[in-house]
Amino acid sequence: MNISVAAEEHTTHPCPALVVGCVEDDFPADGLLAPLDRLLGGGIAALRASGEFTGRLNRVKVLHTFGRLPAERLILVGVGKRGELTAERLRQAAGSAAKGAGVAGVTRLSSVLHRAGDVDGAIGASVEGFILGGYSFSNYKTVPPDERPVEGVTVLLPAGAATADAEREAGEAATLCEAVCFARDLVSHPGNVATPSFLAEKALEMAGRLGITCRVLDREEMERLSMEGILSVAKGSHQPPRFIILEYLAGAAGKRPTVLVGKGVTFDSGGISLKPREGMERMKDDMAGAAAVMGTFMAAAGLRLPVNLVGLIPAAENLPGGGAYKPGDIVRTMAGKTVEIVNTDAEGRMLLCDALHYAQRYKPAALIDLATLTGACLVALGAIATGAMGNDPALIKGLKTAGEASGERLWELPLWDEYGELMKSDVADLKNAGGPHAGTISAAWFLKQFAGKAKWVHIDIAGTAWEEKGRPYLPKGATGVGVRLLVEYLRKSAG
């Protein structure tokens, strides 16, 4: 989506559609709407009087101006009560407006939505909402010509205003959203396209374009490193595993990096412990953690964040087959710990444990892994919040603060030692699943055994990586969750 900034009077600005934010307790008398209402002969006030449109959050009304304004249409979008207006509500309102424009067949918008109230970062938030709300994945569809998404948004400032700061803020938001959409695309591709080799190729391509160092380990190199956790998961598939290493070093020389680890199971059938048929087609999203890490690197490089960042992505398919790993097998991980396999559908932690151990060579200042790890997290938190567990309260607090700012909220679950009882094996150091209770926590406790002395947080995105119904700036499908969260955290930690 093309984003531009102009300093023009909104009542005289010609455009296919003008987006205006409507404050519920000040509608339509505020300074932006009142002159538009006069030019329309009181038509906006009549909407309020009839109760047809009141400015409630995310409600949208499209009006034709019939030549009374240079704007061919007005898109009124509710932002709720003035005292409750936040950057997140502006994101939602912009996403709702983008969807309303799509329904109306409008492909170019101009907007004064960011001027609905006094909110820090209002321009960036509204740009994020427009881009993310207008996203669609149609690579494999024949799209009718009348269903084109919004292609461009012009952010309107008051006539004569300086535009440099607004252009910078809008440009940074667009760069961030480009990375989120990149992550969404990766998750949306089907499993017969998005294989481990495909992920590696996309990482190499992205890295080469942005000046990021990228190295990919093949099966033989992983065997030499004794990455048996990853290799065991890949045994049932004809697709070879890959271990992707990304390095973006733009921070102070010698400063220890933040290491991001992303689960990259490109399709998860459950292996021998086969998943139910219903919904298995969505298991292409089991590499959403890998996509989030790749998207974060794309954004960090695009925004030129002054940070040292390492990304580790173990990628494999989990399929049944004659060579597949089985319940009862014992696997010796890269760390030397042995794991009894009691459920081959608990494969993500087998990938992550090797990657977390590999991360120790970087002496990370912070170690963060993202994974669609457990259905139990969806049961606990639904699709609204992401689960977080770790061994460092300050790191968890920093990520939670970033989650509030970005709208990708985290909720901490306990990680007490008593949960380790669930993961004890009679025949190995650990087992890879702990039974029906506390599944999210026991999985995180398992990962903790491989995090070493690093300050570490595990982020379980199983509930938030995919949107089933569609929300204001989260269309149905892949959400790209984790990218905006991590970029916000990195910005704050760099400062």
Side-chain angles (χ1 to χ4, degrees):
M1 185 182 293
N2 180 58
I3 304 294
S4 59
V5 176
E8 298 179 20
E9 174 58 48
H10 71 292
T11 57
T12 59
H13 173 72
C15 58
L18 176 66
V19 179
V20 186
C22 303
V23 180
E24 190 171 358
D25 45 3
D26 197 17
F27 166 67
D30 69 37
L32 289 171
L33 277 167
L36 297 172
D37 188 40
R38 287 194 296 271
L39 290 167
L40 292 176
I44 300 175
L47 291 174
R48 176 61 181 258
S50 67
E52 186 175 344
F53 183 82
T54 63
R56 285 181 61 188
L57 181 63
N58 296 326
R59 299 298 172 87
V60 176
K61 187 71 177 177
V62 180
L63 301 178
H64 286 268
T65 64
F66 299 108
R68 295 188 178 189
L69 289 170
E72 296 172 21
R73 299 173 183 81
L74 287 183
I75 298 180
L76 306 179
V77 56
V79 298
K81 298 185 184 300
R82 186 173 299 281
E84 298 173 357
L85 188 59
T86 61
E88 173 62 14
R89 289 197 164 197
L90 285 177
R91 271 188 217 102
Q92 292 183 22
S96 298
K99 290 180 180 178
V103 171
V106 179
T107 60
R108 293 200 61 84
L109 307 174
S110 295
S111 173
V112 291
L113 174 60
H114 61 285
R115 293 161 62 185
D118 185 16
V119 175
D120 289 340
I123 290 175
S126 63
V127 168
E128 286 182 29
F130 283 124
I131 296 176
L132 298 179
Y135 170 86
S136 64
F137 184 78
S138 55
N139 296 39
Y140 302 94
K141 293 177 67 176
T142 302
V143 180
D146 59 345
E147 291 186 15
R148 290 186 300 160
V150 175
E151 297 170 353
V153 175
T154 298
V155 176
L156 289 181
L157 305 182
T163 61
D165 288 346
E167 287 171 346
R168 175 192 53 77
E169 185 177 337
E172 289 182 354
T175 297
L176 175 59
C177 290
E178 181 185 4
V180 175
C181 293
F182 171 71
R184 287 179 175 180
D185 284 352
L186 288 176
V187 177
S188 298
H189 282 295
N192 62 319
V193 173
T195 62
S197 296
F198 176 89
L199 282 189
E201 289 164 6
K202 287 294 182 181
L204 287 164
E205 176 187 300
M206 180 264 292
R209 189 173 71 250
L210 296 173
I212 298 167
T213 300
C214 181
R215 188 159 61 98
V216 178
L217 306 185
D218 60 19
R219 188 193 301 271
E220 289 71 25
E221 291 169 294
M222 294 162 70
E223 286 172 348
R224 285 196 291 272
L225 290 168
S226 300
M227 290 181 164
E228 292 300 326
I230 302 169
L231 294 169
S232 64
V233 173
K235 285 180 178 179
S237 172
H238 293 296
Q239 295 291 338
R242 293 289 184 263
F243 190 79
I244 303 164
I245 304 167
L246 296 164
E247 295 181 0
Y248 169 76
L249 305 176
K255 186 175 182 181
R256 293 158 59 200
T258 296
V259 178
L260 307 178
V261 177
K263 175 186 172 185
V265 177
T266 56
F267 187 79
D268 181 20
S269 70
I272 297 296
S273 305
L274 194 66
K275 290 178 180 291
R277 172 181 58 81
E278 293 80 6
M280 194 192 290
E281 70 280 357
R282 216 197 80 189
M283 288 300 101
K284 64 182 183 177
D285 77 352
D286 214 18
M287 38 63 70
V293 170
M294 289 169 64
T296 300
F297 271 78
M298 182 176 178
L303 295 169
R304 299 181 180 178
L305 297 185
V307 296
N308 291 332
L309 199 59
V310 172
L312 305 175
I313 298 171
E317 275 191 341
N318 185 27
L319 294 178
Y325 78 140
K326 309 173 293 298
D329 285 359
I330 296 178
V331 174
R332 186 176 296 276
T333 65
M334 186 184 180
K337 292 184 173 70
T338 55
V339 179
E340 179 191 7
I341 306 302
V342 298
N343 181 0
T344 64
D345 194 24
E347 85 297 331
R349 63 202 70 180
M350 299 304 297
L351 271 68
L352 292 173
C353 69
D354 280 350
L356 290 171
H357 182 73
Y358 187 91
Q360 304 308 311
R361 63 186 59 197
Y362 293 98
K363 297 181 171 57
L367 177 57
I368 303 167
D369 76 77
L370 298 93
T372 46
L373 204 64
T374 63
C377 197
L378 177 61
V379 173
L381 300 175
I384 305 301
T386 293
M389 291 139 282
N391 62 10
D392 187 77
L395 179 55
I396 293 175
K397 182 179 179 182
L399 286 165
K400 286 182 70 175
T401 300
E404 293 295 330
S406 65
E408 295 188 342
R409 292 175 292 180
L410 300 182
W411 190 257
E412 184 182 3
L413 297 172
L415 199 57
W416 300 318
D417 288 340
E418 288 84 349
Y419 288 108
E421 294 294 319
L422 296 171
M423 306 304 288
K424 285 186 174 179
S425 167
D426 293 332
V427 294
D429 297 326
L430 300 163
K431 58 183 179 181
N432 78 326
H437 304 301
T440 299
I441 298 170
S442 62
W445 188 93
F446 178 93
L447 296 179
K448 182 182 177 183
Q449 311 315 302
F450 300 87
K453 295 181 180 179
K455 297 177 179 178
W456 159 79
V457 169
H458 162 62
I459 298 176
D460 193 330
I461 58 174
T464 51
W466 191 270
E467 172 57 34
E468 287 286 358
K469 296 180 179 179
R471 285 184 276 160
Y473 61 88
L474 298 175
K476 185 177 179 179
T479 65
V481 70
V483 177
R484 292 185 303 115
L485 165 75
L486 291 172
V487 169
E488 180 67 22
Y489 168 77
L490 292 169
R491 277 174 162 162
K492 291 294 188 294
S493 61

